[in-house]
Amino acid sequence: MARTQLSPERRRADRARLVEEVVDVLVIGGGVTGAGAALDAASRGLSVALLEARDWAAGTSSRSSKLIHGGLRYLEQLAFPLVHEALQERARLVQTIAPHLVTPLPFLLPLTAPVWQRAYFGAGIALYDVLGAALTSEREIPTHRHLSRRATLAAFPGLRADVVRGAIRYWDAQVDDARHTLAVVRTAAGYGARVLSSARVVGLLRDGGGDRAPVVGVHAADLTDGSTFTVRARSVVAATGVWSDDIGAMLGDSAPSLRVRASKGVHLVVPRSAVDGGVVGEGRMPPTGLILRTTTSVLFVIPWGEHWIIGTTDTPWKLDRAHPAASSADIAYLLDQVNRVLTRPVTPDQILGVYAGLRPLLAGESDETSRLSREHAVVTPVPGLVLVAGGKYTTYRVMAEDAVDAAAAGLPGVPASRTAHLPLVGARDWALVRDRAAELAAGAGLPEEAVRRLLHRHGDRVSDLLDLVRADPELGRPLAGAPAYLAAEVVHAVTAEGALHLDDVLTRRTRVSIETGHRGVESAPQVAALMAGPLGWDAERTEREVEHYTARVAAERESQRMPDDHTADAARLGAPDVRAAAPETSLLGG
């Protein structure tokens, strides 16, 4: 396999070669589905290009609830095949594809009504276990258990005893979505895919005139230097999520396309001390999350390192898709819902981070986004172009496989997908390193806890980070204002993980932007200085990156004080995007 490092040199080489080649499959969109399609195609032996307008996972794929799950609530909609498919993918991710990034996590479903609720929800969770049976072992994903009121309060002391009558504990899994998507991209690059972020598609290349003319490539703008270029391909896959309608617009009014609606999901990040949760007296069981029923959907309280994630909302969004904004109404709704079951209310001043993402839902007859389909669709509106949309993060690999099957239909001798059993970067030798934190820490002169965190971010490639520290011990120091991260992680983000801007590091390679009260502003000068050398920034460019990032944080804070979507959107757009505007750009992002 070719090297998986996404270095600045690798990007320049891929950019130069793309204009000289005709690739078998060109993928538009660097979210998890597009990255998955690039990996699926490349691992089949096809030549592949992957273009992303901003950063890998910059859109929906870095702003999820961080869960790999079967979708317990879809059982109420009788979507048994969808749930079984998602549980199958959950098993693959936990066992083979990304065990260093995807970890089992227990949840409590509190019961607040008499006996009927235990019987009703218990039957659903039992079916959930049945659908997931034979996919994972009891050690990996244990089966559910009914808990009494006393056992429930012991497992999660912060629950109100006057509200909770008991609970059902079941298991799903957790993931750092941005790092997982990045691992998919890097693995695709390892199989030879040419991958470019900051490369925005501005038009489709057609063979002839008319709306039915085959698509044979794309026109793109390189946002790193303002240049434009053309990539030719035998087949193009558009995995552009909430930007799917833009592809339809490029095709013309008479061409069939997919209709996608955007649903906004807002999450809050609070310190672990804000909620009295956890597990008492059960050995090595991880911290326990909550799943709460609301009038329209569900609400999660999810352990996230030394924090909790509380989310999510589910409301239509028709404004700016690149930077969806959370309003004060969104924040108030989440606090109101979670505080109904907690003895000690979470208060606005305890919120460290807020993030909003857009789910791409296939448009249906209902006006309620919570009722729209989470199933995916793959269509070929004109020869040479495949559109894939819908679905959920957990089933990205199935969506990618289906899209590549459609794209490869006219190519001779293409083998079947192999990604169901393909480990991502960091996963191949995970079993050999996962329990060696103390040994590795001693060898690198680092605290054991720091290495343990590195292991769950980088898996068996942790040695790449430790080598940086051995070569320069200063890189073993924690970041200013973000002690859970090391300086080496910043250098590695630039030299191996394709980070091009300060926001890429503080928001996606790390989670400093949502895990600290300053939201990364205190860390920004040091992080920019560490990035400057590998990226060749001068003092002016380094200062400009810090200014852009600081303005972004200020705009987000202002938007979160606004009362509704329109005023929040206007406030958020007050900060310019750090990626330079390109001529004739579409709005396609990933």
Side-chain angles (χ1 to χ4, degrees):
M1 189 190 297
R3 291 172 62 84
T4 62
Q5 282 85 351
L6 303 184
S7 64
E9 296 76 18
R10 169 71 178 265
R11 188 190 186 280
R12 287 191 288 269
D14 282 354
R15 165 77 164 79
R17 290 167 183 158
L18 276 179
V19 299
E20 303 169 353
E21 301 173 335
V22 179
V23 297
D24 293 321
V25 178
L26 185 153
V27 181
I28 308 171
V32 72
T33 304
L39 173 57
D40 190 287
S43 63
R44 298 191 199 198
L46 299 171
S47 58
V48 176
L50 173 62
L51 303 183
E52 159 57 35
R54 293 180 292 153
D55 184 27
W56 310 118
T60 302
S61 294
S62 62
R63 306 178 192 181
S64 74
S65 297
K66 324 300 184 200
L67 295 179
I68 297 296
H69 63 120
L72 186 60
R73 69 188 177 106
Y74 301 125
L75 290 178
E76 287 190 286
Q77 302 172 15
L78 305 181
F80 302 132
L82 176 64
V83 173
H84 184 264
E85 178 181 79
L87 290 172
Q88 189 173 44
E89 293 306 305
R90 183 189 70 179
R92 287 169 171 154
L93 284 158
V94 167
Q95 293 171 333
T96 303
I97 296 175
H100 60 305
L101 296 172
V102 181
T103 55
L105 187 69
F107 283 91
L108 290 183
L109 173 58
L111 304 175
T112 58
V115 177
W116 73 265
Q117 204 178 58
R118 186 180 290 277
Y120 179 69
F121 292 147
I125 292 177
L127 177 59
Y128 196 66
D129 282 346
V130 168
L131 291 172
L135 300 175
T136 51
S137 69
E138 172 73 13
R139 180 182 64 82
E140 292 162 333
I141 305 288
T143 54
H144 76 281
R145 283 186 57 194
H146 285 260
L147 303 181
S148 66
R149 175 185 289 176
R150 176 178 294 181
T152 299
L153 296 177
F156 210 103
L159 290 170
R160 287 175 55 185
D162 62 323
V163 172
V164 174
R165 297 172 179 263
I168 303 173
R169 183 168 61 210
Y170 75 99
W171 289 72
D172 262 318
Q174 184 174 64
V175 67
D176 184 325
D177 47 10
R179 293 210 60 83
H180 171 263
T181 299
L182 174 64
V184 180
V185 174
R186 290 187 61 191
T187 309
Y191 279 94
R194 315 282 191 211
V195 301
L196 291 184
S197 62
S198 289
R200 176 168 289 156
V201 170
V202 297
L204 300 175
L205 182 63
R206 313 292 291 272
D207 185 12
D211 289 342
R212 294 296 300 171
V215 172
V216 294
V218 302
H219 302 292
D222 189 333
L223 303 189
T224 66
D225 59 14
S227 64
T228 58
F229 61 102
T230 298
V231 183
R232 296 182 177 273
R234 296 177 179 87
S235 187
V236 175
V237 173
T240 51
V242 295
W243 286 270
S244 294
D245 291 350
D246 291 19
I247 293 290
M250 291 180 185
L251 289 172
D253 294 336
S254 63
S257 187
L258 288 174
R259 291 179 58 240
V260 174
R261 293 191 196 179
S263 171
K264 183 177 70 168
V266 174
H267 295 80
L268 312 179
V269 181
V270 301
R272 182 64 70 85
S273 59
V275 178
D276 297 324
V279 176
V280 178
E282 296 199 30
R284 293 172 60 85
M285 181 175 289
T288 298
L290 296 179
I291 176 172
L292 308 172
R293 292 296 302 261
T294 70
T295 55
T296 59
S297 184
V298 296
L299 188 78
F300 288 103
V301 181
I302 306 164
W304 177 257
E306 296 304 312
H307 307 84
W308 297 97
I309 293 175
I310 302 172
T312 178
T313 61
D314 195 348
T315 56
W317 179 264
K318 298 181 180 179
L319 302 170
D320 180 66
R321 290 167 291 175
H323 307 292
S327 68
S328 62
D330 294 320
I331 295 170
Y333 167 81
L334 291 173
L335 292 178
D336 175 68
Q337 293 295 321
V338 74
N339 287 337
R340 293 182 182 190
V341 299
L342 297 178
T343 57
R344 183 162 53 90
V346 179
T347 58
D349 62 290
Q350 292 176 305
I351 296 172
L352 297 177
V354 181
Y355 64 94
L358 300 179
R359 305 178 190 89
L361 304 180
L362 297 179
E365 297 299 322
S366 172
D367 289 331
E368 299 178 52
T369 57
S370 62
R371 296 182 181 273
L372 293 181
S373 174
R374 296 308 302 269
E375 296 186 51
H376 68 275
V378 176
V379 300
T380 304
V382 297
L385 177 65
V386 173
L387 307 180
V388 55
K392 51 189 287 189
Y393 194 103
T394 302
T395 57
Y396 80 93
R397 194 202 61 78
V398 178
M399 296 171 63
E401 178 180 339
D402 290 348
V404 175
D405 282 346
L411 303 177
V414 178
S417 174
R418 45 181 304 209
T419 54
H421 308 288
L422 189 70
L424 299 181
V425 167
R428 190 173 301 277
D429 294 320
W430 171 238
L432 300 180
V433 299
R434 64 184 176 190
D435 297 322
R436 294 179 56 202
E439 174 190 346
L440 294 171
L446 291 173
E448 182 178 343
E449 183 56 34
V451 173
R452 186 171 289 109
R453 287 193 291 261
L454 290 177
L455 280 166
H456 283 281
R457 292 170 190 153
H458 302 275
D460 65 26
R461 300 300 291 266
V462 69
S463 59
D464 296 343
L465 279 298
L466 301 182
D467 287 346
L468 289 173
V469 174
R470 292 188 189 98
D472 182 359
E474 286 297 308
L475 296 180
R477 293 183 178 274
L479 293 180
Y485 298 94
L486 303 182
E489 295 179 79
V490 177
V491 174
H492 188 259
V494 174
T495 58
E497 297 180 339
L500 299 176
H501 293 280
L502 185 55
D503 183 59
D504 300 347
V505 174
L506 291 173
T507 305
R508 288 171 291 276
R509 304 308 183 280
T510 72
R511 294 300 191 159
V512 176
S513 67
I514 61 171
E515 293 177 351
T516 61
H518 56 81
R519 303 194 182 182
V521 171
E522 292 180 10
S523 311
Q526 180 192 8
V527 173
L530 288 165
M531 297 177 70
L535 288 171
W537 294 348
D538 58 17
E540 180 182 358
R541 171 64 188 277
T542 304
E543 182 179 354
R544 188 165 70 248
E545 285 282 333
V546 175
E547 290 173 352
H548 269 287
Y549 184 82
T550 303
R552 194 212 82 174
V553 171
E556 286 185 345
R557 288 189 185 277
E558 182 66 16
S559 72
Q560 291 154 20
R561 289 189 282 266
M562 295 295 105
D564 54 47
D565 283 351
H566 283 86
T567 53
D569 178 67
R572 175 62 185 87
L573 293 179
D577 197 314
V578 67
R579 284 174 164 79
E584 302 178 41
T585 58
S586 75
L587 293 177
L588 294 182

